[in-house]
Amino acid sequence: MSTAHDLTEERAATAWDTAPAPWQTGDPYSEALRAGRGPLFLERSDGWLLPLDVERWCAAADPVDLAVLDRCEGAVLDVGCGPGRLVAALVARRRRTLGIDVSEAAVAHTVRHGGRALRRSVFEPLPGEGGWDTALLMDGNVGIGGDPRALLERLAALLAPGGLLIAETAPVDIDERVHVQVVQLAAAHRIAGTPFPWARLGTPALLRHADATGWHAVDQWSDGGRRFVALRT
């Protein structure tokens, strides 16, 4: 790992790049992160709701998370880091780590808790491209961008040759690409964010897309009701 090590602490902790993003200050997701609780959902256009586990995301890394982090190698890029529980846990292990997220509130939360993070989309230029040893796609972040193959191709470009990707998949066999919005439903009121493209993938679907984009699976497992896949370029 070399180029990722050139990232300065000042840059990682304070960058607030103003790229357009659906999750802006004042939206339901940002407000839930500030409060540390939901109820918060992803809502499809047909009204179907997927609960978002805000309380777990805002807490410290749990035993399932820590078991995933035990598998990480070298310098770690946490894609869609959210409020930064994994970044903070990796920093506590003295692991070179960067979180990226399009949400200003998520980046701020990560930095406040001792992590390094940038407000950045994974599809924008990033520090250390081609040099990261491990990338994480946790908490459903295989859905980022709504195009799994484009996301996998982008991650291959970010990782060093032979780099490791650990992805959390849906607990059911699904391969879905939709537009969703973050909604808060409480006390008879509904607050909705801006729609954006998203995908939901179970393990079989992720393995199919991985095979089509030049990745190979090295492991898959379940833990605490959650499912994971490890891939290499």
Side-chain angles (χ1 to χ4, degrees):
M1 177 71 189
S2 57
T3 52
H5 287 186
D6 296 333
L7 178 65
T8 66
E9 292 189 12
E10 180 181 2
R11 172 66 173 161
T14 62
W16 297 86
D17 298 282
T18 55
W23 296 351
Q24 302 285 2
T25 300
D27 74 335
Y29 179 72
S30 299
E31 295 305 314
L33 291 192
R34 290 192 179 91
R37 62 182 184 276
L40 201 68
F41 303 86
L42 282 185
E43 183 183 57
R44 286 191 318 217
S45 58
D46 63 1
W48 180 85
L49 297 171
L50 175 68
L52 300 179
D53 201 352
V54 177
E55 289 83 357
R56 180 171 63 83
W57 298 347
C58 290
D62 64 23
V64 176
D65 296 326
L66 296 176
V68 169
L69 301 187
D70 288 341
R71 295 170 177 259
C72 291
E73 303 168 355
V76 182
L77 181 67
D78 186 1
V79 178
C81 66
R85 75 187 190 283
L86 303 179
V87 176
L90 286 163
V91 169
R93 296 180 176 201
R94 301 186 182 278
R95 179 82 70 176
R96 178 78 60 165
T97 308
L98 175 67
I100 60 170
D101 204 289
V102 296
S103 164
E104 180 177 333
V107 171
H109 195 286
T110 301
V111 172
R112 282 197 307 272
H113 288 78
R116 301 182 181 94
L118 294 174
R119 185 180 175 200
R120 193 75 59 85
S121 164
V122 67
F123 296 106
E124 295 180 291
L126 293 171
E129 298 210 9
W132 294 97
D133 300 302
T134 303
L136 295 175
L137 284 175
M138 299 282 279
D139 305 322
N141 284 331
V142 290
I144 287 174
D147 185 339
R149 295 190 184 186
L151 179 59
L152 288 168
E153 289 170 353
R154 174 60 176 147
L155 289 169
L158 291 170
L159 287 170
L164 176 67
L165 169 62
I166 301 176
E168 184 173 353
T169 58
V172 295
D173 186 5
I174 190 170
D175 188 354
E176 177 183 72
R177 279 163 292 283
V178 292
H179 275 74
V180 296
Q181 56 189 338
V182 178
V183 298
Q184 182 184 63
L185 301 174
H189 72 274
R190 177 182 184 275
I191 303 173
T194 304
F196 56 93
W198 196 251
R200 293 180 66 221
L201 302 179
T203 293
L206 178 59
L207 294 177
R208 288 194 299 271
H209 292 300
D211 183 65
T213 50
W215 292 82
H216 63 277
V218 294
D219 203 0
Q220 53 184 290
W221 69 99
S222 298
D223 192 0
R226 297 161 64 188
R227 297 185 182 181
F228 304 91
V229 175
L231 305 167
R232 289 198 186 272
T233 54

